[in-house]
Amino acid sequence: MGSLNKLRLLHQVRKNQWLKPSELEELQNRKLRAMVKHAYENTEFYHRKFRDAEIRPDDIKTTEDLYKIPFTTKEELRQNSLGSMLAKGIDLNKCHVTETSGSTGIPTKVVYDSYANDFSKAVNLRSHIENGLKLRSKWVVFGDPNHFQKPQWFQKLRIFSPNQISVFDSVDEQISSLRNFNPDVLDGYTSSIRLFAQAVEEKGVEDIKPGVVFGTSELLDKETRKYINSVFNVEMVDHFGCVELNRTAWECSEHMGYHMDVDSVITEFIKDGEGVAANERGQIVYTGLYNYAMPLIRYNIEDIGIPSDEYCACGRSLPLMKVVEGRTDSFMQVPSGRIFSPIIWTTIMRKIPGVGQFKAIQEKKDLIRLLLVKNENFAENTVYQIEHDIKEVMGQDVEVKVEIVDNIPKDKSGKVRSAESRIKINW
Ligand SMILES: [Zn+2]
């Protein structure tokens, strides 16, 4: 695809956000019909799925018809060969191939053709530009080196060119590589930016003063947001998405929720097989509208979100959703059936002297392993107090095992998470 076409795509998606809601809806339905037809005619997987459900592409005319199509699960992606998911005639050498982090299982390959890759970049740039990224901003992205891409022609000219920093580097390495660079924009995994902010504050680094900070993939909690905002004196902007569909929603400077990228993905919020009402929690189910190499239709991402019926004060017609703090696999469920959001961890642990970094891992419904990095206030009764305070919140029938460690291991994607559950939650 020509370079001018890439800029044209960017121009187009920037225009889409100001379309009338009815025009956006029409655009979405048109893209949906084309994708459904394509997936049925060109992929083994969806051909079979549609046939098994006794539906034809013509049965799907608008998003209202989506309920007729059975969900696609992560398990199906793992169990079916990549070939059966891909459209006929796809040349993998010409595609961008990436992998999910597989925090709950085996990673799966995700394939974008070059058009899809360009489109997803355009959608990604849209929210960055709308929040202050400039043509030649000094832009730093903390990310997983496995997902880094080679710079494109315009990026070699230092236009919209992110400086990629590995989240596997120590904060000292990160700081030293950014010294004298004076980044305008920090971007990337929220947990990495938090650790980076902490180091910047502790070491009194003065030459790192970004004007904009973007978080992505994992808004941990309000406290993290506040902390990052205070260190850099900004109002951080959060992004929402996943490896399979890329960015799917984003905040604008009004912070009224997350604008959904409805021109590139359909987001449904499902409970007990049906869409939820506004302001209710539902499982997020995505239908991608631009990746013809590997269609994903009604793909259950195993994450939770909340649709909103509010209009944003900014005037953009991209509808709003709200996110639930933390990822689904950071939520824990105890024998009583009660579900705890990952927010509880900072709340519980912040009050206990002696706690440096930590990570809570739920191994079984009634067993929490708590990895702890001591700080200078660690005392004989610290461990006892941790056990006591966790049980008080989660229940006396939950066993707590504290393990003292030197550092908290990052997960496969390089994220540092304070909570992780290895059990299946019954929502
Ligand atoms: Zn807005």
Side-chain angles (χ1 to χ4, degrees):
M1 188 180 208
S3 310
L4 274 174
N5 281 335
K6 288 179 189 168
L7 293 180
R8 232 172 258 148
L9 269 182
L10 176 61
H11 178 68
Q12 194 185 84
V13 297
R14 289 191 72 198
K15 255 173 47 184
N16 287 348
Q17 64 188 332
W18 304 105
L19 290 175
K20 287 190 207 129
S22 62
E23 291 170 331
L24 260 181
E25 218 169 280
E26 177 44 40
L27 176 69
Q28 197 180 41
N29 286 332
R30 201 168 64 230
K31 288 188 177 189
L32 171 65
R33 287 191 293 269
M35 181 56 84
V36 163
K37 185 166 186 287
H38 165 79
Y40 176 78
E41 288 173 357
N42 296 291
T43 74
E44 243 179 82
F45 178 80
Y46 282 107
H47 194 80
R48 200 180 338 120
K49 203 175 213 23
F50 276 57
R51 295 244 317 239
D52 290 350
E54 297 180 357
I55 40 177
R56 309 264 314 162
D58 283 350
D59 298 331
I60 311 301
K61 293 198 165 61
T62 71
T63 52
E64 309 270 295
D65 299 315
L66 273 171
Y67 75 93
K68 297 173 186 165
I69 309 173
F71 299 126
T72 297
T73 63
K74 288 192 166 187
E75 190 57 29
E76 283 176 302
L77 237 62
R78 282 193 287 269
Q79 286 184 348
N80 285 273
S81 69
L82 184 63
S84 71
M85 302 299 306
L86 294 184
K88 276 181 229 157
I90 284 295
D91 179 358
L92 277 182
N93 294 319
K94 289 184 181 156
C95 289
H96 172 61
V97 182
T98 176
E99 270 187 356
T100 62
S101 60
S103 53
T104 49
I106 312 145
T108 36
K109 282 204 162 57
V110 180
V111 176
Y112 286 79
D113 58 32
S114 67
Y115 170 79
N117 204 25
D118 288 344
F119 192 92
S120 94
K121 284 213 175 83
V123 167
N124 190 43
L125 273 179
R126 165 168 70 190
S127 58
H128 282 84
I129 293 170
E130 295 302 313
N131 280 297
L133 180 78
K134 302 272 187 312
L135 216 61
R136 292 180 193 277
S137 287
K138 289 194 247 169
W139 179 16
V140 168
V141 181
F142 293 85
D144 179 347
N146 296 316
H147 293 166
F148 288 170
Q149 286 194 30
K150 286 194 202 92
Q152 296 188 310
W153 68 274
F154 59 92
Q155 293 172 328
K156 288 182 189 143
L157 302 174
R158 304 213 61 79
I159 297 172
F160 296 133
S161 169
N163 199 305
Q164 298 170 345
I165 300 275
S166 168
V167 292
F168 292 101
D169 289 348
S170 70
V171 276
D172 288 335
E173 287 170 303
Q174 291 171 345
I175 286 180
S176 68
S177 65
L178 289 183
R179 272 255 155 93
N180 308 320
F181 180 67
N182 301 323
D184 305 313
V185 177
L186 290 188
D187 190 359
Y189 291 146
T190 311
S191 63
S192 302
I193 293 178
R194 195 208 158 105
L195 291 176
F196 184 75
Q198 230 162 330
V200 164
E201 190 187 37
E202 279 165 19
K203 292 174 202 294
V205 179
E206 286 187 352
D207 53 354
I208 296 178
K209 286 189 183 129
V212 196
V213 177
F214 293 101
T216 191
S217 306
E218 36 157 15
L219 180 61
L220 298 178
D221 48 52
K222 286 197 187 73
E223 195 263 332
T224 298
R225 186 194 281 265
K226 255 204 221 148
Y227 179 74
I228 293 174
N229 286 353
S230 76
V231 172
F232 296 119
N233 194 23
V234 293
E235 267 191 46
M236 141 176 212
V237 172
D238 195 38
H239 279 169
F240 191 70
C242 59
V243 173
E244 293 92 321
L245 280 302
N246 240 314
R247 238 276 318 298
T248 59
W250 50 283
E251 288 186 300
C252 71
S253 57
E254 299 289 338
H255 299 281
M256 284 184 68
Y258 292 65
H259 285 288
M260 292 185 276
D261 296 296
V262 295
D263 52 352
S264 55
V265 62
I266 297 169
T267 307
E268 295 176 88
F269 304 87
I270 303 288
K271 193 180 173 187
D272 302 328
E274 285 178 29
V276 300
N279 302 316
E280 277 181 33
R281 288 179 177 205
Q283 286 227 319
I284 293 177
V285 172
Y286 286 132
T287 297
L289 296 177
Y290 62 85
N291 187 6
Y292 280 75
M294 184 172 169
L296 285 172
I297 295 172
R298 301 204 89 201
Y299 177 60
N300 185 341
I301 192 70
E302 296 176 12
D303 206 344
I304 303 291
I306 303 163
S308 168
D309 54 3
E310 283 181 302
Y311 284 96
C312 188
C314 71
R316 289 183 184 86
S317 44
L318 299 173
L320 295 175
M321 65 172 279
K322 300 212 156 106
V323 307
V324 177
E325 293 176 358
R327 309 283 297 192
T328 316
D329 60 350
S330 310
F331 285 76
M332 298 187 185
Q333 187 168 40
V334 294
S336 70
R338 195 168 158 197
I339 297 170
F340 292 93
S341 137
I343 310 164
I344 63 160
W345 293 103
T346 26
T347 317
I348 298 174
M349 303 297 280
R350 199 170 30 199
K351 292 182 301 197
I352 306 174
V355 173
Q357 274 187 48
F358 65 89
K359 176 173 186 170
I361 302 170
Q362 181 168 36
E363 294 284 3
K364 293 191 233 159
K365 274 208 164 163
D366 58 358
L367 174 62
I368 306 281
R369 269 171 67 214
L370 197 288
L371 309 183
L372 175 71
V373 180
K374 299 191 269 189
N375 71 15
E376 67 280 8
N377 297 320
F378 186 85
E380 238 182 74
N381 68 344
T382 301
V383 170
Y384 168 77
Q385 206 185 337
I386 291 172
E387 290 171 355
H388 173 269
D389 289 7
I390 294 174
K391 277 167 165 285
E392 205 165 68
V393 174
M394 301 188 86
Q396 296 301 326
D397 49 356
V398 176
E399 194 190 341
V400 181
K401 278 188 185 161
V402 178
E403 297 172 28
I404 310 289
V405 295
D406 290 330
N407 53 51
I408 302 299
K410 291 175 177 165
D411 70 16
K412 273 185 230 151
S413 65
K415 292 179 196 171
V416 183
R417 296 152 68 207
S418 56
E420 181 187 334
S421 179
R422 294 178 179 166
I423 64 157
K424 203 155 184 71
I425 286 186
N426 184 5
W427 295 93

